[in-house]
């Protein structure tokens, strides 16, 4: 029996030795990301809670809308506008919730493991600091946008079902409710927005927060937001300009010239799907360069900094 178990162990070691390094790295990255999701349930609980609260409020608003329709206070065009506005508001609420979760997650991602001394355990595992930091960056850049997309899509479908049930028999054309919403077009625009803006364009913000999280001796929130605040105030006092504050504003909410706020302009949503409008923006590549620099520093800091 011992001989058989030893043979199995040797064969397992040999198989691991013949596994390509890229496969081992991908496997370590996969399990590192799963560990982050397991340990940070707010990543999916917060957007789900926001969707549930919005659906509750939406159901109440549909009951009020049914009463207004019964009193002939809303025409067909007003009904359609109200419903469309609520669909957009649901996606905005879920995306905003995911953004807030991503900010606070990034601030605590590397600081938390030093504070509770779990860094001593994780450093004992055969996982590099680069893999650990990249797995933590994957949460706000990839996992949260994809979760937001899926939750928004399900929420909007449930909104359509709720509105059909509540408004049935009130004189509203239920078939028009289903045909008036293009789920494919809207969902593709939403997915594009989440992966590009909330992913690539916000990368330097998350990179900065991770770097501060790896360095801060305490209160990472203060260390993350105090330097930009001081720089903006000093620039305003010394030069009477607000260029740095404007750069931060454009990074967070976008501007008309960088393809970020095309969804605010009165134009076809599908125009924002053209990649060169986004990938030709100089600010995107400058931000990605800064993000890479912040991540490099975060990896070095995690390698040499111990528990708090």
């Amino acid at each position: 029996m011992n001989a058989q178990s030893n043979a199995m162990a040797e064969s397992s070691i040999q198989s691991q030795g013949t596994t390509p390094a890229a496969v081992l790295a991908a496997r370590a990255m996969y399990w590192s990301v799963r560990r982050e999701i397991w340990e940070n349930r707010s990543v999916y609980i917060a957007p789900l809670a926001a969707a549930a609260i919005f659906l509750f409020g939406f159901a109440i608003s549909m009951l009020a809308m049914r009463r207004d329709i019964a009193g002939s206070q809303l025409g067909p065009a007003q009904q359609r506008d109200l419903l469309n506005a609520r669909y957009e508001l649901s996606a905005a609420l879920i995306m905003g919730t995911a953004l807030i979760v991503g900010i606070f997650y990034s601030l605590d991602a590397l600081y938390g493991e030093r504070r509770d001394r779990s860094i001593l355990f994780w450093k004992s595992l055969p996982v590099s600091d680069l893999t650990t930091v990249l797995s933590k960056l994957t949460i706000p850049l990839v996992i949260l946008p994809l979760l937001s997309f899926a939750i928004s899509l399900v929420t909007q479908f449930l909104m359509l079902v709720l509105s059909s049930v509540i408004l049935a028999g009130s004189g509203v054309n239920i078939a028009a409710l289903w045909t008036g919403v293009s789920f494919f077009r809207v969902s593709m625009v939403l997915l594009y927005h989440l992966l590009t803006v909330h992913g690539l364009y916000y990368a330097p913000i998350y990179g900065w927060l991770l770097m501060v999280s790896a360095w801060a001796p305490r209160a990472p929130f203060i260390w993350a937001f105090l330097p930009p605040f001081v720089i903006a105030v000093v620039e305003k006092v010394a030069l009477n300009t607000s260029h740095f504050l404007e750069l931060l504003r454009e990074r967070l909410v976008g501007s008309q010239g960088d393809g970020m706020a095309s969804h605010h302009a009165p134009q076809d949503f599908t125009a924002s799907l053209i990649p060169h409008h986004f990938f030709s923006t100089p600010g995107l590549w400058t931000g990605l360069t800064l993000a890479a620099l912040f991540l490099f520093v975060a990896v070095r800091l995690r390698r040499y900094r111990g528990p708090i």
Side-chain angles (χ1 to χ4, degrees):
M1 189 68 179
N2 291 334
Q4 183 179 2
S5 61
N6 291 336
M8 292 177 61
E10 291 178 0
S11 62
S12 176
I13 294 174
Q14 291 176 358
S15 63
Q16 290 181 1
T18 58
T19 303
V23 175
L24 293 176
R27 189 177 300 166
M29 184 69 177
Y30 169 76
W31 285 107
S32 297
V33 172
R34 288 195 63 174
R35 173 175 71 88
E36 292 300 319
I37 297 175
W38 288 336
E39 292 186 346
N40 299 273
R41 297 182 180 180
S42 60
V43 168
Y44 56 87
I45 289 179
L48 285 173
I53 294 173
F54 186 88
L55 284 174
F56 178 74
F58 178 78
I60 295 176
S61 70
M62 286 298 99
L63 292 173
M65 185 175 177
R66 180 185 176 90
R67 185 185 64 247
D68 293 338
I69 292 174
S72 300
Q73 297 181 17
L74 293 176
Q78 292 175 313
Q79 300 169 16
R80 184 175 61 254
D81 291 341
L82 282 174
L83 289 174
N84 289 336
R86 283 166 171 77
Y87 290 135
E88 296 176 3
L89 184 60
S90 66
L93 175 64
I94 294 170
M95 288 189 297
T97 302
L99 176 61
I100 295 173
V101 171
I103 290 173
F104 282 94
Y105 165 83
S106 300
L107 278 173
D108 191 64
L110 296 171
Y111 173 79
E113 65 179 12
R114 291 188 295 121
R115 180 189 55 207
D116 60 19
R117 296 180 175 269
S118 63
I119 189 173
L120 298 175
F121 170 74
W122 297 119
K123 280 191 172 183
S124 67
L125 299 180
V127 180
S128 66
D129 295 296
L130 177 62
T131 299
T132 301
V133 173
L134 288 180
S135 68
K136 294 179 183 297
L137 180 67
T138 302
I139 299 298
L141 254 63
V142 179
I143 301 301
L144 274 171
L146 291 178
L147 276 175
S148 300
F149 169 71
I151 295 172
S152 298
L153 205 59
V154 173
T155 301
Q156 291 175 349
F157 178 77
L158 292 177
M159 290 169 62
L160 194 55
V161 173
L162 276 174
S163 60
S164 301
V165 172
I166 295 175
L167 298 178
S170 64
V172 175
N173 188 350
I174 303 300
L177 292 179
W178 289 83
T179 57
V181 179
S182 177
F183 269 99
F184 177 76
R185 183 169 66 93
V186 174
S187 62
M188 287 299 296
V189 173
L190 179 62
L191 180 61
Y192 172 82
H193 174 81
L194 286 169
L195 292 179
T196 54
V197 177
H198 288 248
L200 295 177
Y201 210 75
Y202 287 169
I205 298 176
Y206 294 127
W208 163 259
L209 296 177
L210 284 173
M211 184 183 72
V212 173
S213 179
W215 170 83
R218 63 186 63 201
F221 183 87
I222 296 177
W223 288 108
F225 293 96
L226 186 60
F229 175 76
V230 171
I231 292 174
V233 171
V234 170
E235 180 193 359
K236 185 65 177 179
V237 172
L239 304 175
N240 196 27
T241 59
S242 303
H243 298 304
F244 182 76
L245 189 62
E246 183 64 20
L247 285 175
L248 292 179
R249 188 197 67 81
E250 290 185 3
R251 180 61 55 175
L252 286 172
V253 302
S255 64
Q256 290 298 116
D258 61 5
M260 284 277 296
S262 58
H263 56 287
H264 295 299
Q267 59 181 353
D268 188 3
F269 282 169
T270 56
S272 64
L273 293 175
I274 303 175
H276 75 266
H277 288 320
F278 180 80
F279 291 100
S280 62
T281 305
L284 169 66
W285 300 106
T286 303
L288 291 177
T289 302
L290 286 175
L293 177 62
F294 293 150
L295 290 177
F296 173 78
V297 176
V299 171
R300 302 291 294 181
L301 287 172
R302 187 182 188 273
R303 182 172 301 172
Y304 295 110
R305 291 184 73 86
I308 299 174

